[in-house]
């Protein structure tokens, strides 16, 4: 089912989510593969889940593993990309073989004038025109349930110069507003947990998928 923008589903940990999201037209699925992160999957479990889906890109989520460790896991799991939960220098990013997506903490997206001032970030500042490495495949920001007009202005400025993926949670209203108001590369949505093996409530996720369907 085509959507207004590409959709990235984060944290797939069960077969129900993997098959449902792929079937509903998601473009990318992420699997938490860094052992230090909560809910991490081992390589064997990830490969078993990935074997049941087709037509979607598969990404691994990592925090502070080295580029060498990330590359080894990416190769073994045949990943199409990686999503980093913590910022790396441009040199570190260049060492990672697959395309890299980087998560930005929404606290660092401050309502400054984007044409003259930087967006606050990890190592001092993230400058829209400078220190956001241009080679990153996408910048991911998981938003609160509502955003101010000032924050929206900053996000628009980022989206105009960098591939920006925003996370509206499971709010169909916010998801649609973001797509209509901002220049986005796509949206990021959370996966969930099964109630028990094979049993999963998709009502909230389905509402977001449906709100974003094209006519």
């Amino acid at each position: 089912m085509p959507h207004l923008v590409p959709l990235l589903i984060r944290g797939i940990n069960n077969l129900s989510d993997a098959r449902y999201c792929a079937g509903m037209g998601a473009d990318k699925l992420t699997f938490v593969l860094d052992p230090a992160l909560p809910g991490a999957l081992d390589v064997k479990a990830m490969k078993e889940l990935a074997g049941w889906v087709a037509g979607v890109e598969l990404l691994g989520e990592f925090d502070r593993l080295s580029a060498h460790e990330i590359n080894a896991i990416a190769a073994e799991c045949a990943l199409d990309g990686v999503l980093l939960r913590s910022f790396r220098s441009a040199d570190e990013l260049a060492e990672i073989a697959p395309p890299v997506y980087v998560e930005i903490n929404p606290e660092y997206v401050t309502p400054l004038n984007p044409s003259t001032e930087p967006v606050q970030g990890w190592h001092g500042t993230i400058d829209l025109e400078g220190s956001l490495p241009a080679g990153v495949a996408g910048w991911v920001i998981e938003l609160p349930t509502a955003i101010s007009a000032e924050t929206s202005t900053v996000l628009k400025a980022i989206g105009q110069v960098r591939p920006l993926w925003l996370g509206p949670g499971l709010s169909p209203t916010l998801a649609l507003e973001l797509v209509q108001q901002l220049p986005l590369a796509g949206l990021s949505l959370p996966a969930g947990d099964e109630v028990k093996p094979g049993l999963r409530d998709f009502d909230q996720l389905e509402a977001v998928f449906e709100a974003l369907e094209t006519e």
Side-chain angles (χ1 to χ4, degrees):
M1 181 67 66
H3 298 95
L4 295 172
V5 294
L7 301 178
L8 178 154
I9 314 299
R10 295 186 62 177
I12 298 290
N13 64 13
N14 61 79
L15 183 58
S16 295
D17 272 66
R19 298 182 70 177
Y20 176 82
C21 293
M24 287 292 287
D27 297 86
K28 308 176 193 294
L29 307 179
T30 80
F31 303 81
V32 179
L33 298 176
D34 187 328
L37 293 174
L41 300 176
D42 59 35
V43 167
K44 179 181 177 181
M46 181 272 165
K47 291 169 71 174
E48 288 177 351
L49 293 176
W52 286 92
V53 298
V56 293
E57 293 187 17
L58 308 178
L59 281 66
E61 294 203 28
F62 301 93
D63 188 17
R64 294 307 310 174
L65 287 184
S66 68
H68 174 75
E69 292 170 310
I70 291 173
N71 288 340
I73 294 174
E76 185 171 358
C77 295
L79 297 180
D80 298 295
V82 301
L83 172 55
L84 302 180
R85 293 195 187 180
S86 53
F87 192 75
R88 309 284 182 104
S89 68
D91 289 341
E92 290 177 300
L93 292 173
E95 294 177 356
I96 299 174
V100 176
Y101 297 75
V102 180
E103 182 172 8
I104 299 177
N105 190 317
E107 294 179 359
Y108 300 141
V109 181
T110 55
L112 302 175
N113 180 347
S115 64
T116 59
E117 298 186 66
V119 177
Q120 294 300 313
W122 287 281
H123 305 299
T125 60
I126 294 178
D127 189 325
L128 294 180
E129 299 297 336
S131 59
L132 280 177
V136 172
W139 298 91
V140 181
I141 303 177
E142 299 294 341
L143 297 172
T145 53
I147 60 174
S148 67
E150 292 84 359
T151 298
S152 180
T153 298
V154 176
L155 293 172
K156 183 176 181 178
I158 296 174
Q160 288 172 338
V161 296
R162 297 291 186 265
L164 181 61
W165 295 72
L166 295 181
L170 292 174
S171 168
T173 301
L174 180 57
L176 197 54
E177 288 177 356
L178 294 174
V179 170
Q180 293 172 338
Q181 297 174 9
L182 300 174
L184 300 181
L187 289 179
S188 164
L189 304 175
D193 299 312
E194 291 179 320
V195 178
K196 60 182 181 181
L199 182 60
R200 169 83 158 89
D201 182 357
F202 288 110
D203 288 352
Q204 288 182 296
L205 191 56
E206 182 179 16
V208 182
F209 273 116
E210 291 181 347
L212 298 170
E213 289 178 1
T214 57
E215 295 296 333

